[in-house]
């Protein structure tokens, strides 16, 4: 090793992906010194996230700490196991309806530290390790100041309804076909039976949605890399919806203490194709959106969403995907229990109303009968 030059070490390390580069830095002092080179981490980041290849994004990443720090922040995923337990009793606070005023701080100083213009979104979509779509959004769209509708209306980012300059595939659809190893679909009836295309989408599609806060100089990846679930043939037979996301901490923002960042991706079958004629089946990416909901399924507004995204920038993260997936499943289980408890509470209330109505009706009948007897 001592006889090898630093240039040769550099040439070896630049061929590694970021995970291997980090491990190589632990092998020996020479590798460690060279593995700290920003050029190596820039190469690793641009290979993993095509959206980072733009010159303005490169300047942004350098300003928030460099490519090595950016990789460490964004390759790891949000891990939140602090999901409150839903109590199945009549005093359960999660079964109550929360007022809008309970959702966010009424603190303008806190809000001024989380302006929509501070956030930059880097979005990348892959299918079987092939880059399918990349986009950069400078600040959240349609945010027009603290007194505008953005802060009070439901927060949502829809990439295919937002136009930005200097981005490829901005106004057109993104297509995925059997040429890209997508299985052919002879008919939707056959797809409903075997679900082959649906399984391939779930296994092959990968999403990264990174937000960078220029003021705080921090970044976080809001996605789960792979789909957490989805819906086949909704709302039409030719639509496939994939759901990604993460569980955001909200202990000081929401009564339920946690919220879910929901990232939806929708594909639509535009051509069945034919194996005999050599025509590929084709899917079009028609929707890619972000929204944030509380545990009760309420779509949060812009004011509250900004505070949650600010908290997410400094939350706990993990490289262990199974651990992250477990935390997401824990949240979905608690959410399901909350819905069941609300249904039970509504049933108890309905039963009480029915019993009360019957009791009142019986009392009125008794009074009328006694008056009739007195006559």
């Amino acid at each position: 090793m001592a006889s090898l030059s630093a240039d040769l070490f550099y040439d070896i390390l630049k061929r590694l992906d970021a995970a291997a580069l980090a491990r190589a830095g632990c092998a020996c002092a020479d590798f460690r010194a060279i593995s700290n080179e920003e050029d190596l981490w820039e190469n690793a980041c641009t290979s993993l996230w095509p959206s980072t290849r733009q010159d303005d994004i490169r300047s942004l990443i350098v300003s928030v700490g460099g490519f090595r720090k950016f990789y460490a922040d964004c390759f790891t995923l949000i891990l939140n196991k602090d999901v409150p337990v839903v109590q199945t009793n009549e005093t359960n606070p999660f079964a109550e309806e929360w007022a809008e005023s309970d959702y966010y701080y009424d603190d303008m100083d806190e809000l001024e530290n989380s302006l929509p213009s501070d956030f930059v979104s880097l979005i990348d979509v892959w299918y079987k390790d092939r880059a399918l779509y990349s986009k950069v959004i400078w600040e959240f769209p349609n945010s027009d100041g603290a007194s505008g509708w953005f802060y009070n209306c439901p927060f949502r980012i829809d990439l295919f309804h937002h136009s930005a300059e200097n981005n490829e595939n901005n106004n057109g659809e993104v297509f995925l076909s059997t040429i890209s190893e997508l299985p052919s679909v002879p008919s939707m009836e056959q797809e409903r039976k075997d679900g082959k295309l649906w399984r391939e989408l779930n296994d092959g599609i990968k999403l990264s949605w990174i937000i960078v806060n220029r003021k705080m100089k921090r970044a976080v990846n809001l996605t789960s890399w792979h789909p957490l679930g989805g819906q086949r043939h909704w709302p039409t037979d030719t639509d496939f919806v994939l759901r990604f996301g993460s569980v955001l901490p909200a202990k000081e923002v929401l009564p339920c203490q946690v919220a879910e960042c929901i990232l939806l991706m929708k594909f639509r079958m535009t051509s069945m194709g034919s194996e005999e004629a050599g025509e590929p089946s084709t899917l079009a990416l028609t929707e890619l959106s972000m929204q944030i909901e509380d545990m009760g399924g309420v779509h949060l507004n812009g004011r509250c969403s900004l505070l949650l995204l600010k908290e997410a920038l400094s939350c706990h993260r993990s490289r262990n995907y199974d651990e992250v997936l477990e935390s997401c499943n824990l949240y979905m289980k608690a959410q399901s229990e909350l819905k069941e408890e609300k249904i039970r509470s509504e049933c108890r209330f309905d039963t009480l109303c029915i019993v009360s109505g019957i009791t009142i009706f019986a009392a009125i009948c008794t009074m009328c009968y006694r008056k009739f007897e007195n006559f």
Side-chain angles (χ1 to χ4, degrees):
M1 294 289 289
S3 62
L4 298 179
S5 67
D7 292 338
L8 183 57
F9 280 161
Y10 183 90
D11 187 65
I12 293 172
L13 294 182
K14 76 177 183 179
R15 302 173 188 274
L16 303 179
D17 59 21
L21 180 61
R23 289 194 293 268
C26 301
C28 64
D30 291 332
F31 273 2
R32 179 176 179 80
I34 298 175
S35 67
N36 290 330
E37 293 288 335
E38 272 293 290
D39 290 345
L40 293 176
W41 288 101
E42 180 179 357
N43 180 65
C45 288
T46 54
S47 298
L48 181 59
W49 296 293
S51 58
T52 61
R53 295 172 184 171
Q54 299 181 22
D55 291 339
D56 48 2
I57 296 300
R58 183 184 185 280
S59 301
L60 171 67
I61 294 175
V62 171
S63 69
V64 299
F67 282 92
R68 186 180 183 185
K69 180 178 182 295
F70 180 82
Y71 178 86
D73 288 342
C74 301
F75 184 78
T76 52
L77 301 179
I78 294 174
L79 177 64
N80 185 5
K81 292 186 176 181
D82 297 329
V83 178
V85 178
V86 177
Q87 302 294 333
T88 56
N89 55 54
E90 296 182 1
T91 61
N92 176 26
F94 298 109
E96 301 175 359
E97 293 294 332
W98 299 307
E100 183 181 356
S101 58
D102 294 332
Y103 289 147
Y104 49 78
Y105 286 123
D106 190 17
D107 188 345
M108 294 307 297
D109 292 335
E110 183 74 16
L111 190 59
E112 288 178 357
N113 293 327
S114 304
L115 297 176
S117 57
D118 296 333
F119 290 89
V120 180
S121 298
L122 311 179
I123 302 99
D124 294 283
V125 180
W126 301 267
Y127 178 70
K128 293 187 175 180
D129 297 326
R130 183 177 71 87
L132 180 63
Y133 176 79
S134 294
K135 194 164 189 177
V136 175
I137 301 179
W138 294 86
E139 79 177 46
F140 293 137
N142 301 320
S143 55
D144 53 353
S147 60
W149 67 270
F150 173 85
Y151 285 84
N152 299 313
C153 290
F155 173 81
R156 180 181 174 90
I157 299 177
D158 196 323
L159 296 189
F160 287 90
H161 290 166
H162 170 64
S163 61
E165 297 180 355
N166 300 323
N167 283 287
E168 296 181 357
N169 299 324
N170 184 40
N171 297 320
E173 294 179 326
V174 180
F175 293 98
L176 185 62
S177 70
T178 50
I179 298 175
S180 307
E181 301 180 3
L182 192 73
S184 60
V185 180
S187 67
M188 294 311 300
E189 288 76 11
Q190 183 65 32
E191 168 60 22
R192 279 193 292 268
K193 292 179 181 179
D194 57 31
K196 185 177 180 181
L197 175 60
W198 174 246
R199 289 195 300 271
E200 286 293 328
L201 284 176
N202 273 277
D203 295 339
I205 292 293
K206 189 177 178 182
L207 171 66
S208 171
W209 191 310
I210 297 170
I211 59 167
V212 182
N213 189 294
R214 289 179 280 187
K215 183 181 296 183
M216 297 177 63
K217 299 186 182 302
R218 290 182 178 179
V220 66
N221 201 333
L222 297 174
T223 189
S224 51
W225 287 118
H226 300 284
L228 298 173
Q231 292 176 288
R232 297 172 57 191
H233 314 298
W234 190 92
T236 70
D237 283 346
T238 58
D239 287 323
F240 302 86
V241 179
L242 299 175
R243 181 187 181 107
F244 302 78
S246 55
V247 180
L248 306 182
K251 290 184 177 179
E252 298 180 355
V253 182
L254 298 177
C256 56
Q257 302 179 24
V258 288
E260 182 181 14
C261 178
I262 300 173
L263 307 173
L264 291 180
M265 185 185 300
K266 181 186 289 186
F267 287 92
R268 176 168 296 169
M269 177 71 68
T270 58
S271 174
M272 293 291 183
S274 172
E275 291 188 5
E276 297 178 356
E279 297 176 354
S281 301
T282 305
L283 290 176
L285 178 60
T286 59
E287 179 182 332
L288 185 53
S289 62
M290 177 208 292
Q291 62 189 46
I292 300 178
E293 294 182 356
D294 67 13
M295 189 179 287
V298 175
H299 194 162
L300 300 182
N301 60 23
R303 184 192 303 268
C304 183
S305 297
L306 286 181
L307 294 175
L308 289 178
L309 293 176
K310 177 176 176 290
E311 293 293 325
L313 291 165
S314 57
C315 68
H316 184 63
R317 306 172 204 185
S318 174
R319 293 176 180 267
N320 189 333
Y321 178 74
D322 292 334
E323 191 176 24
V324 173
L325 183 60
E326 180 184 354
S327 69
C328 293
N329 291 334
L330 182 65
Y331 176 87
M332 288 186 285
K333 179 181 178 182
Q335 189 178 47
S336 177
E337 291 175 352
L338 174 61
K339 291 179 180 179
E340 292 176 359
E341 176 61 18
K342 285 186 175 181
I343 292 174
R344 286 193 291 266
S345 297
E346 291 174 357
C347 290
R348 288 193 293 265
F349 180 75
D350 292 342
T351 301
L352 179 62
C353 290
I354 293 172
V355 171
S356 300
I358 293 174
T359 303
I360 294 173
F361 178 76
I364 293 174
C365 291
T366 302
M367 291 175 59
C368 293
Y369 178 75
R370 290 177 178 175
K371 288 184 179 180
F372 180 75
E373 284 186 336
N374 292 334
F375 284 112

